[in-house]
Amino acid sequence: MNFVVFFVIFALYVGGCVFVALRMSKCIPSKVGRIAFRSVVALMSVMFFIHRAISDIVPEWLVRLLYIASTMWLVIVMYLVIVLLVFALARGIARWRKGEIEPLNMRSFWNSWLIIGIILFCGIMNAYSPKLTHYTLHSDNVESGDTLRIALVSDLHMGYAVRGGDIERLVAMINAQNADFCLIAGDLFDGDVRPVVNGNLGAALKQLKTHRGTFAVLGNHEYLGNADIAEEYIKGLGINVLRDSAVAVSTTSFDMKPYVWFIGRDDYSQQRNNYKSIDELNCDTCQLKIVIDHQPARFSDSQRIGADLHVSGHTHAGQVWPMRIFTKMIYELDYGYLRKGSTDFIVTSGFGTWGPRFRTGNAPEVVVIDITK
């Protein structure tokens, strides 16, 4: 199934690159110009694969440059296809109404790039403008008059695009919330551990301030790199990593009794590797159960054990419009809030981005959850 999905995505990408090269080159009057443009498109189209092939043998600054350029190209191709199809539709309607229209020319070429430039500018600005999202939940397992505040963040994707300054801004946002706990729902790394470890990009996370601690799980991108190195690095920042494990945390800053039970599940992609079932991680004597699971894919498990809250990330709420159409099709809840039975589910759009710092259709966020009686 994974191979089929990959093949479909790869075929669509190749088809999009060919369409862009052929369609836009028709706007260029000179043969030399057309050949040059098609050559540039061909080079950019294979840049991502070049980056993956040589990342171990070239300097880190070059890997970063290739990574950002090649992943941004994926976005550019998608939006160029959309823009060119809209233009083609408009030209078809004009031809139907008038019978004859002006042939494609350089004005059409530059108008296409102008629209792409505006989209890129807005998407980049949006990716650097995180918001606070607030939920107030109610639970009988909280003492009357108490409020448990949780700061939730996911998908930091530290690496070649998300840098140390971004993490400093994240920490400032979380520290301003005066939270009892901070939960990090996976994908702290973008995959490759080298830029994070070598540049100590997560150093600011040592400054996270909560009353009772910070807890994290691993996501699929930790496993795309080296999950063991990622885990050790995260622990070195003073963050408790729950890797198919659970922990009881006393809550002396308020009157809950006897404790909160955090269940951190290993990423859904690792189910085949002797993962623990949620029943093995459950505790029937705790007062409040909170499940942290990177991918929003095992809601029924959390319901079955009577979890009060289940938090996830992973989807980025699509990150790039119109990709949320597909995340909505794949996941029962791809973003936002859902209540099923006695369990509240929250999926965050995440703080960072896969690929370039680019978002359209949604914003990065830090989630604040208040749980009261």
Side-chain angles (χ1 to χ4, degrees):
M1 182 62 180
N2 288 338
F3 174 78
V4 173
V5 172
F6 172 80
F7 180 79
V8 170
I9 293 173
F10 180 74
L12 289 173
Y13 172 65
V14 172
C17 292
V18 171
F19 176 73
V20 167
L22 296 180
R23 185 70 179 178
M24 294 195 73
S25 63
K26 289 182 178 180
C27 303
I28 303 173
S30 72
K31 182 178 180 180
V32 172
R34 289 194 294 272
I35 293 174
F37 177 74
R38 291 171 182 174
S39 299
V40 170
V41 172
L43 176 61
M44 292 303 301
S45 300
V46 299
M47 188 71 72
F48 183 77
F49 305 101
I50 293 174
H51 148 259
R52 294 298 297 267
I54 67 174
S55 61
D56 291 334
I57 59 176
V58 298
E60 187 177 301
W61 67 266
L62 182 56
V63 177
R64 184 185 179 197
L65 177 63
L66 292 174
Y67 175 82
I68 293 174
S70 62
T71 53
M72 183 62 82
W73 175 250
L74 302 178
V75 174
I76 290 172
V77 166
M78 184 183 72
Y79 280 114
L80 273 175
V81 169
I82 294 172
V83 168
L84 293 174
L85 287 176
V86 171
F87 280 4
L89 177 62
R91 288 175 62 82
I93 294 173
R95 184 181 292 111
W96 173 70
R97 295 182 63 183
K98 298 179 180 180
E100 187 174 338
I101 61 172
E102 182 181 16
L104 290 170
N105 52 40
M106 288 302 293
R107 184 173 63 184
S108 303
F109 181 90
W110 292 119
N111 283 343
S112 300
W113 283 109
L114 175 62
I115 293 172
I116 294 303
I118 293 171
I119 292 173
L120 293 180
F121 175 78
C122 294
I124 291 170
M125 293 298 293
N126 189 44
Y128 281 93
S129 305
K131 66 175 184 177
L132 279 174
T133 302
H134 187 263
Y135 298 96
T136 299
L137 310 179
H138 300 279
S139 173
D140 291 336
N141 293 324
V142 177
E143 296 297 317
S144 181
D146 283 343
T147 298
L148 172 65
R149 170 161 286 196
I150 296 171
L152 167 67
V153 68
S154 182
D155 299 275
L156 281 60
H157 286 275
M158 295 184 293
Y160 296 116
V162 179
R163 309 298 286 176
D166 302 308
I167 304 305
E168 291 174 5
R169 286 189 288 274
L170 169 66
V171 170
M173 288 182 68
I174 294 175
N175 287 350
Q177 305 313 309
N178 192 33
D180 296 296
F181 299 100
C182 176
L183 307 182
I184 306 178
D187 277 5
L188 288 84
F189 287 67
D190 196 40
D192 192 346
V193 299
R194 291 173 301 171
V196 181
V197 175
N198 294 343
N200 197 17
L201 299 183
L205 292 172
K206 288 185 176 180
Q207 308 305 317
L208 277 173
K209 297 177 181 177
T210 63
H211 295 301
R212 304 302 298 162
T214 299
F215 300 86
V217 297
L218 302 186
N220 59 304
H221 276 258
E222 273 79 40
Y223 285 97
L224 292 177
N226 187 310
D228 293 330
I229 293 176
E231 179 182 11
E232 289 306 309
Y233 180 80
I234 297 167
K235 287 179 177 178
L237 300 173
I239 297 171
N240 302 284
V241 178
L242 301 178
R243 194 172 177 183
D244 255 355
S245 58
V247 63
V249 183
S250 61
T251 50
T252 56
S253 60
F254 44 94
D255 293 332
M256 291 182 61
K257 55 185 182 182
Y259 45 68
V260 179
W261 186 251
F262 287 110
I263 299 174
R265 306 203 68 183
D266 210 357
D267 185 64
Y268 184 67
S269 64
Q270 302 305 304
Q271 284 196 101
R272 59 188 176 275
N273 295 333
N274 299 319
Y275 79 108
K276 291 183 180 178
S277 71
I278 198 167
D279 301 286
E280 296 176 79
L281 304 173
N282 189 27
C283 172
D284 288 325
T285 60
C286 66
Q287 182 167 347
L288 194 72
K289 300 178 190 177
I290 297 176
V291 176
I292 316 165
D293 194 355
H294 176 61
Q295 298 192 42
R298 295 179 281 200
F299 286 5
S300 59
D301 286 358
S302 296
Q303 271 190 280
R304 188 176 69 252
I305 66 165
D308 295 86
L309 174 64
H310 173 123
V311 297
S312 294
H314 181 62
T315 67
H316 298 208
Q319 184 172 322
V320 179
W321 183 90
M323 297 308 294
R324 196 176 175 204
I325 294 172
F326 302 103
T327 60
K328 282 185 173 182
M329 293 170 59
I330 295 170
Y331 298 101
E332 180 179 7
L333 178 69
D334 74 315
Y335 173 71
Y337 169 80
L338 174 69
R339 184 173 178 87
K340 297 183 70 176
S342 61
T343 304
D344 294 304
F345 296 89
I346 292 176
V347 179
T348 172
S349 64
F351 183 82
T353 52
W354 179 84
R357 296 303 301 276
F358 184 87
R359 281 182 181 259
T360 51
N362 64 79
E365 67 180 3
V366 171
V367 176
V368 177
I369 306 167
D370 285 329
I371 305 178
T372 65
K373 185 69 173 179

